Amino acid sequence: MTLDFYKKNKKILLAVDCIIFGFNKEELEILLIQRDFEPEKGKWSLMGGFVEEKESPSESAQRVLKSLTGLDDIYMEQFAVFGNPDREPQERVVSLCYFALINTEILSTDYKAKWFKLDKCPPLIFDHNEMVVEAHNKLKKKAALYPILFELLSDKFTIPQITLLYEAVYENQLDKRNFTRKLLASKLLIKLNEKDKENSKKGAYYYKVDKTVYKEKIISFLNFLPGWYEE
Amino acid sequence: MTLDFYKKNKKILLAVDCIIFGFNKEELEILLIQRDFEPEKGKWSLMGGFVEEKESPSESAQRVLKSLTGLDDIYMEQFAVFGNPDREPQERVVSLCYFALINTEILSTDYKAKWFKLDKCPPLIFDHNEMVVEAHNKLKKKAALYPILFELLSDKFTIPQITLLYEAVYENQLDKRNFTRKLLASKLLIKLNEKDKENSKKGAYYYKVDKTVYKEKIISFLNFLPGWYEE
DNA sequence: AAAAATAAGTGTTAATTTGACACTAATTAT
DNA sequence: ATAATTAGTGTCAAATTAACACTTATTTTT
């Protein structure tokens, strides 16, 4: 009886798919690959892979991410399961969806992945376009409460850069004065004695994240974006 | 080549486990079953089952819930994946975790499940105790933003009952005056011309949820619980 | 060297929301 | 009639919010 219980149940191919967000200083982007195998060879796709024998799903997601970007230690979160029996034509696959936030500057370019602006995402295989939409929605909700968007920026960044980032994620204009005030009130940022002179004549001071505060900081970020969630 | 790609990957037993929350007018409870099969026969366990061939994981979770409670149409949310390779001794099983909110009054009692107070939960099989803790944490976060806790109450309820419910979920005392004010300001409640006289001499007015508002209503519930998330 | 151009950075105010706080009202039981 | 019990309500000071536009620092142009 012991093993019968398990044996009578069908096993399933279990995949992970990663929506990898990046920020190009102006727009939110996602990293896609062109499939080089059947089915759907040549089509654009999220990065994915199967959960292997000796790894947990989050380890699979990390492996996939590493194999495609060379990056370790990336912010990643499981946010959905796509598992309709017929979502892939060849074989039943249940997919665990993760979104990841990476700083695109760190990423070397010799991987065959390509960045696409979120609003110019090509048609993707299977239900991957739906996954992207859900990931973006989840990102908006999460980032309203937790300061995770800093994962998309370099170690040092300017206030105008953060503002552009939030405007990109929420597809909305922000009041610069109010936003800056709230940012600084969060006590999350440390002002550096150095300016970014690339993007303006006056130059904007660099800041970095106070890591000790960052770990504890949640929810206080709420209402950074007055009203975005009510629309 | 087509199918080789899939074939070389190992399939995995995919389970769903449900943390079913209920509210007994005083405390938050979860519904558990005593396993009547090996392994771990006789031990307490979450309700679970395997994802079958023709169903999506959320359908599996609904089926499990229905088979154990007779209930349909229950609020349910996937909140975690437990998938360490060795989390079950006999066989590798990846578990998709759902939490559900049900009104215990509707539930008939001839199912062999049993309610346990959340803080008096017995030792459970495998990693189920961890799942319960994560579910409770997730519930707290979600319910701070969305009015989902009404799913735990009957169609009509009193303000004192809601207050007790929030106090139970957040394990904290609430200021009755401020909480009531915010509740009513949410425009989510419709006052009925009827009182509950069971629980007090004066009697407390019943309210019901305004379903049209309920569907849209999110986040405005935030800060119902000043400071709970900062501790 | 003066003027123009550009983007950074900053302050005020009125309205709203918050949290802290304690008494009155309605009913039943004695 | 009195006591007991729980429901229900109001005020105020402090903090937070959103709406709003000018000054500053620097480089480029003339």
Side-chain angles (χ1 to χ4, degrees):
Chain A
M1 165 88 196
T2 322
L3 287 178
D4 282 358
F5 170 67
Y6 288 108
K7 280 209 183 101
K8 73 163 197 255
N9 289 287
K10 280 270 166 30
K11 296 185 182 182
I12 294 175
L13 263 179
L14 190 58
V16 295
D17 284 304
C18 300
I19 292 87
I20 303 175
F21 288 105
F23 179 60
N24 68 4
K25 305 247 180 227
E26 290 192 359
E27 279 146 314
L28 200 57
E29 297 185 322
I30 56 173
L31 199 53
L32 300 174
I33 48 163
Q34 208 156 11
R35 268 167 83 103
D36 58 358
F37 48 80
E38 294 296 344
E40 304 283 355
K41 182 170 172 175
K43 274 210 188 172
W44 290 101
S45 158
L46 292 172
M47 326 221 145
F50 291 97
V51 177
E52 292 176 359
E53 264 181 287
K54 294 264 168 71
E55 63 186 8
S56 69
S58 67
E59 285 164 353
S60 312
Q62 283 165 35
R63 170 177 52 76
V64 164
L65 204 74
K66 172 130 194 185
S67 73
L68 253 140
T69 64
L71 297 176
D72 264 328
D73 247 342
I74 294 301
Y75 182 90
M76 200 151 56
E77 184 176 338
Q78 187 262 327
F79 72 95
V81 176
F82 279 68
N84 283 344
D86 52 0
R87 56 177 290 278
E88 297 200 20
Q90 303 273 1
E91 168 94 37
R92 176 163 198 194
V93 179
V94 169
S95 168
L96 308 175
C97 298
Y98 290 76
F99 73 82
L101 304 176
I102 76 181
N103 172 8
T104 57
E105 289 175 9
I106 289 175
L107 189 60
S108 87
T109 48
D110 25 303
Y111 293 92
K112 55 191 167 182
K114 194 180 157 202
W115 287 105
F116 286 83
K117 288 170 188 162
L118 192 56
D119 57 2
K120 280 170 189 142
C121 183
L124 304 176
I125 59 167
F126 310 144
D127 44 11
H128 286 197
N129 286 95
E130 283 175 64
M131 291 177 181
V132 171
V133 170
E134 274 202 33
H136 185 200
N137 286 334
K138 184 71 185 202
L139 179 63
K140 287 179 181 179
K141 286 176 184 166
K142 184 84 180 197
L145 301 176
Y146 302 78
I148 56 174
L149 295 183
F150 292 100
E151 304 285 344
L152 293 166
L153 298 172
S154 307
D155 282 347
K156 45 184 199 182
F157 45 79
T158 66
I159 303 277
Q161 282 167 13
I162 310 176
T163 311
L164 284 174
L165 170 56
Y166 274 80
E167 289 182 332
V169 170
Y170 292 97
E171 302 163 299
N172 258 314
Q173 290 289 109
L174 292 173
D175 181 296
K176 195 170 46 152
R177 284 164 293 185
N178 292 337
F179 187 72
T180 306
R181 174 159 35 84
K182 285 185 191 179
L183 259 184
L184 297 175
S186 77
K187 300 288 178 202
L188 203 63
L189 301 187
I190 298 173
K191 190 175 189 171
L192 303 179
N193 246 333
E194 190 188 351
K195 278 187 166 181
D196 162 37
K197 310 276 290 195
E198 304 242 320
N199 298 296
S200 78
K201 293 168 181 172
K202 182 173 177 181
Y205 278 104
Y206 280 115
Y207 288 78
K208 64 177 184 178
V209 169
D210 186 335
K211 296 266 159 95
T212 59
V213 179
Y214 184 79
K215 307 259 168 170
E216 309 151 10
K217 213 65 175 182
I218 54 164
I219 303 225
S220 59
F221 249 53
L222 187 77
N223 265 346
F224 253 48
L225 312 142
W228 72 267
Y229 35 74
E230 309 224 315
E231 293 168 349
Chain B
M1 164 88 195
T2 322
L3 287 177
D4 281 359
F5 170 68
Y6 288 109
K7 281 210 181 100
K8 72 166 198 253
N9 289 288
K10 280 267 166 33
K11 296 186 183 181
I12 294 175
L13 263 178
L14 190 58
V16 295
D17 284 304
C18 300
I19 292 85
I20 303 174
F21 289 104
F23 180 60
N24 67 4
K25 306 245 179 226
E26 291 191 357
E27 279 147 313
L28 200 57
E29 297 185 322
I30 56 174
L31 198 54
L32 300 173
I33 48 163
Q34 208 155 12
R35 265 167 87 102
D36 57 0
F37 48 82
E38 295 296 342
E40 304 285 354
K41 182 170 172 174
K43 274 208 187 175
W44 290 101
S45 159
L46 291 172
M47 326 220 145
F50 291 98
V51 177
E52 291 175 1
E53 265 181 285
K54 296 263 167 74
E55 62 184 9
S56 68
S58 66
E59 285 165 352
S60 312
Q62 283 166 34
R63 171 177 51 78
V64 164
L65 205 73
K66 172 131 194 185
S67 73
L68 252 138
T69 65
L71 298 177
D72 266 326
D73 248 342
I74 293 303
Y75 181 91
M76 199 151 55
E77 183 176 340
Q78 186 262 326
F79 71 95
V81 176
F82 279 69
N84 282 343
D86 53 0
R87 56 177 290 278
E88 296 201 19
Q90 303 272 2
E91 167 93 37
R92 176 161 198 195
V93 179
V94 169
S95 168
L96 308 175
C97 297
Y98 290 76
F99 73 82
L101 304 176
I102 76 182
N103 172 7
T104 57
E105 288 175 8
I106 289 175
L107 189 60
S108 86
T109 48
D110 26 302
Y111 292 92
K112 57 191 166 184
K114 194 180 159 202
W115 288 104
F116 286 82
K117 289 171 187 161
L118 192 55
D119 58 2
K120 278 168 190 145
C121 183
L124 304 177
I125 60 167
F126 310 143
D127 44 12
H128 286 197
N129 286 95
E130 283 175 64
M131 291 178 182
V132 171
V133 170
E134 274 202 33
H136 186 201
N137 286 335
K138 184 72 185 200
L139 179 63
K140 286 179 180 179
K141 286 176 185 166
K142 184 86 180 195
L145 301 176
Y146 302 78
I148 57 174
L149 294 183
F150 291 101
E151 304 285 343
L152 292 167
L153 297 173
S154 307
D155 283 346
K156 47 184 198 181
F157 45 79
T158 66
I159 303 276
Q161 280 165 12
I162 310 176
T163 310
L164 285 174
L165 170 55
Y166 274 80
E167 290 182 332
V169 170
Y170 292 97
E171 301 163 299
N172 258 313
Q173 290 288 111
L174 291 173
D175 182 296
K176 193 173 44 153
R177 285 164 293 183
N178 292 337
F179 187 73
T180 305
R181 172 158 40 89
K182 288 185 189 177
L183 261 183
L184 297 175
S186 77
K187 301 288 178 201
L188 204 63
L189 301 187
I190 298 172
K191 190 174 187 170
L192 303 180
N193 247 333
E194 190 188 351
K195 278 186 166 183
D196 161 38
K197 313 274 291 192
E198 303 244 319
N199 298 294
S200 77
K201 292 168 182 171
K202 181 173 176 181
Y205 278 104
Y206 280 116
Y207 287 79
K208 65 176 182 178
V209 168
D210 185 335
K211 295 266 159 94
T212 61
V213 179
Y214 183 79
K215 304 261 167 167
E216 309 150 11
K217 213 65 176 179
I218 54 166
I219 303 229
S220 59
F221 250 52
L222 187 77
N223 266 346
F224 253 47
L225 313 142
W228 73 266
Y229 37 73
E230 311 225 313
E231 292 167 349

